[in-house]
Amino acid sequence: MATLLTIGDAAKASGLTAKMIRHYEQSGLLNKSPRTESGYRLYNSEQVNQLRFIRQARNLGFSLADIHSLLELWQNPQRESRAVKQLAQQHLDEIAAKIAELQHMQQILTALSDSCRGDGSPHCHILQQLAKPI
Amino acid sequence: MATLLTIGDAAKASGLTAKMIRHYEQSGLLNKSPRTESGYRLYNSEQVNQLRFIRQARNLGFSLADIHSLLELWQNPQRESRAVKQLAQQHLDEIAAKIAELQHMQQILTALSDSCRGDGSPHCHILQQLAKPI
DNA sequence: TTTGACCTTACCACGATGGCAAGGTTTAGG
DNA sequence: CCTAAACCTTGCCATCGTGGTAAGGTCAAA
């Protein structure tokens, strides 16, 4: 008994939105799903698993392009785990770079904010620093 | 002697691109600059200072909307440094939230990646975990 | 005078998502 | 059985900040 879900129910079951699912189909991340006579998309449990896979990968910050690759690897029994790990490692590098960038901003801005009295007077070290010609 | 720069030179002097400067003008962040008879934008040193201010604020990750507020505060002698500090603090909160989110991804993905052999075999804990129904 | 380096506007693109509108379908209740 | 609500469909526009490109005008040096 293959239970078929409409897009709204598939969305609830996967944690995505119907909008996202249509968008993923549109952008080639998902195969076009079968439709009812009246044109409603229908999803079986295997496709819902795929949607969940996508959601979990999105939660880890993978781009849709990366997820496309991950899905292909997942569905390929001849995959080499090397390829998966490489994608993960590249993504980890990007994450680390973003964290470093944000921490750099955080460090500078914290110092500036600490040196601003934050009262009713116009004097403000933050503005002074931003205005500095360097 | 007010030296006037064309947009390309103003871009070099401020560290922005000409494209960005036009975009900032278009979006109301900058006042429309005076033009030559033939329509070229011209920038004096005060405006170049403003461009530099914008670049430095962008380097700290402020949104253009925030920078709009910062510019107004900067140019208002009656400002209260409280307002500036509040903007900085809000932005610091956002930065901290993003860092936390990225670190969360980093932590989970690092664990997954560590448990993937990354060799020629298809077995991969990363894919297994993404596929898990939870 | 020609050439190259500028400048102008106007449009499209990214990435991932949300919103809305105008219309068709299904389902549940009265 | 009929109606209203809750779905579904497609299509377009918006976000945010930046980049690209095209088609054209301007300016300065050789």
Side-chain angles (χ1 to χ4, degrees):
Chain A
M1 45 162 287
T3 353
L4 296 179
L5 303 183
T6 59
I7 197 170
D9 291 335
K12 275 171 203 148
S14 64
L16 299 169
T17 67
K19 204 74 194 276
M20 291 182 202
I21 297 176
R22 288 191 202 99
H23 177 59
Y24 297 162
E25 176 185 309
Q26 167 67 26
S27 60
L29 190 55
L30 294 170
N31 293 327
K32 287 182 183 172
S33 78
R35 307 274 188 131
T36 66
E37 285 183 4
S38 60
Y40 284 23
R41 289 172 180 81
L42 290 177
Y43 298 90
N44 61 29
S45 64
E46 190 191 346
Q47 291 167 312
V48 171
N49 284 341
Q50 233 181 87
L51 295 176
R52 245 187 311 253
F53 184 101
I54 294 175
R55 184 181 61 88
Q56 311 218 72
R58 283 298 293 140
N59 285 350
L60 290 179
F62 281 103
S63 70
L64 295 189
D66 280 352
I67 295 176
H68 193 80
S69 304
L70 288 171
L71 278 173
E72 281 178 350
L73 288 165
W74 183 38
Q75 285 157 357
N76 174 10
Q78 267 84 48
R79 68 177 165 261
E80 303 193 355
S81 68
R82 205 189 327 267
V84 183
K85 187 160 184 164
Q86 194 188 347
L87 275 173
Q89 197 52 54
Q90 283 171 4
H91 184 44
L92 276 170
D93 290 349
E94 290 171 15
I95 290 175
K98 278 187 202 161
I99 290 176
E101 188 189 358
L102 287 167
Q103 282 175 337
H104 186 233
M105 293 175 184
Q106 187 180 47
Q107 179 199 326
I108 296 176
L109 191 52
T110 299
L112 285 178
S113 186
D114 285 350
S115 67
C116 169
R117 294 252 296 280
D119 56 12
S121 110
H123 178 272
C124 174
H125 203 63
I126 303 172
L127 293 179
Q128 274 183 11
Q129 194 65 26
L130 289 175
K132 232 183 221 172
I134 298 199
Chain B
M1 48 163 286
T3 353
L4 296 178
L5 304 183
T6 58
I7 197 170
D9 291 335
K12 276 171 203 148
S14 64
L16 299 169
T17 66
K19 205 73 196 273
M20 292 182 201
I21 297 176
R22 290 191 200 100
H23 177 59
Y24 297 161
E25 176 185 310
Q26 166 68 25
S27 61
L29 191 55
L30 294 169
N31 292 328
K32 287 182 183 173
S33 77
R35 308 273 189 131
T36 65
E37 286 183 2
S38 59
Y40 284 23
R41 289 172 180 81
L42 290 177
Y43 298 88
N44 61 26
S45 64
E46 190 191 346
Q47 290 167 313
V48 171
N49 285 341
Q50 231 182 87
L51 294 176
R52 245 187 310 252
F53 184 101
I54 293 175
R55 183 181 62 88
Q56 312 217 73
R58 283 298 292 142
N59 284 350
L60 290 179
F62 282 103
S63 69
L64 295 189
D66 281 351
I67 295 176
H68 193 79
S69 305
L70 288 172
L71 277 173
E72 283 178 349
L73 288 166
W74 182 39
Q75 285 157 356
N76 174 11
Q78 267 83 49
R79 67 176 166 261
E80 303 194 354
S81 68
R82 207 189 324 268
V84 184
K85 187 159 183 164
Q86 194 189 346
L87 275 174
Q89 197 51 54
Q90 283 171 4
H91 185 43
L92 277 170
D93 291 348
E94 290 170 15
I95 290 175
K98 277 186 203 163
I99 290 176
E101 189 188 357
L102 287 168
Q103 281 175 337
H104 186 233
M105 292 176 183
Q106 188 180 48
Q107 179 199 328
I108 296 176
L109 192 52
T110 299
L112 285 179
S113 186
D114 285 351
S115 67
C116 168
R117 295 253 296 280
D119 56 13
S121 110
H123 178 272
C124 174
H125 203 64
I126 302 171
L127 293 179
Q128 272 182 11
Q129 194 65 27
L130 289 174
K132 232 183 221 171
I134 294 201

